[in-house]
Amino acid sequence: MRRTIYAMLLACISFMSACELHTSNNGDFDGYWQFCQIDTLSTGRSGDVRESRVFWSVQAKLLEINNLTYPDRSVLFHFSRDSQTVQLKDPVANLGGRSDSIISSPSTLAQYGVMATFNADHKVEALLHIDQLDGDDMILSNGQYRLHFRRY
């Protein structure tokens, strides 16, 4: 009996030492955000987009954008962030069980509220400025549009 307890204890210690604890320094950016409003900066017009059912989910270094109207389609990004900007890169279309594919056209991302461009390496990316970020609200802009989110 004593050998069994020691073996189980040793197995638990080995298992726990093999795991790493990954933390995020994203602060208020981490979480689940509902895309609520888009402002066109050149005209000053705004549109309520809550009915579009687009949500951003942020954790660690991944951002997933879901359009719940089409639940079998989402976009995954890697991102980097500092206090003033968020850079979205390496977008991949998650097609719900079918083969995922790298997104190679910036216009594909417009339905998710992301106005992307090609970088110097001809890869799709988007740079967003953080206008406001707190526990309840997030406002991002890119020079053409301002995107408003609420924590969900």
Side-chain angles (χ1 to χ4, degrees):
M1 179 70 170
R2 201 172 234 179
R3 281 184 164 173
T4 304
I5 292 173
Y6 286 130
M8 289 173 54
L9 183 60
L10 182 60
C12 286
I13 291 171
S14 297
F15 176 74
M16 291 174 72
S17 66
C19 296
E20 289 184 42
L21 181 62
H22 294 279
T23 60
S24 166
N25 61 353
N26 292 327
D28 286 333
F29 190 53
D30 271 345
Y32 197 60
W33 297 92
Q34 181 184 19
F35 183 30
C36 297
Q37 177 181 319
I38 187 167
D39 303 333
T40 304
L41 299 177
S42 63
T43 64
R45 299 188 73 182
S46 296
D48 185 337
V49 293
R50 285 178 285 200
E51 294 297 319
S52 69
R53 301 178 60 201
V54 173
F55 290 85
W56 288 27
S57 181
V58 179
Q59 185 175 9
K61 294 294 179 192
L62 292 176
L63 166 73
E64 180 178 24
I65 302 177
N66 291 294
N67 181 335
L68 297 183
T69 304
Y70 307 102
D72 62 339
R73 296 182 205 156
S74 65
V75 177
L76 293 168
F77 292 92
H78 284 102
F79 73 88
S80 57
R81 173 184 172 293
D82 60 29
S83 64
Q84 297 177 350
T85 61
V86 175
Q87 182 182 22
L88 307 179
K89 51 193 170 195
D90 305 324
V92 174
N94 180 356
L95 302 173
R98 296 176 299 209
S99 235
D100 296 346
S101 63
I102 295 171
I103 293 176
S104 58
S105 171
S107 62
T108 304
L109 301 171
Q111 66 179 313
Y112 299 99
V114 176
M115 306 316 293
T117 59
F118 287 110
N119 67 13
D121 298 327
H122 299 288
K123 293 183 179 180
V124 175
E125 68 178 27
L127 182 65
L128 300 164
H129 298 277
I130 301 170
D131 297 339
Q132 178 182 340
L133 179 59
D134 59 40
D136 298 319
D137 299 298
M138 177 171 66
I139 301 173
L140 306 174
S141 63
N142 68 357
Q144 288 182 289
Y145 300 100
R146 185 176 300 119
L147 312 174
H148 298 258
F149 299 84
R150 73 175 177 110
R151 186 172 301 279
Y152 200 77

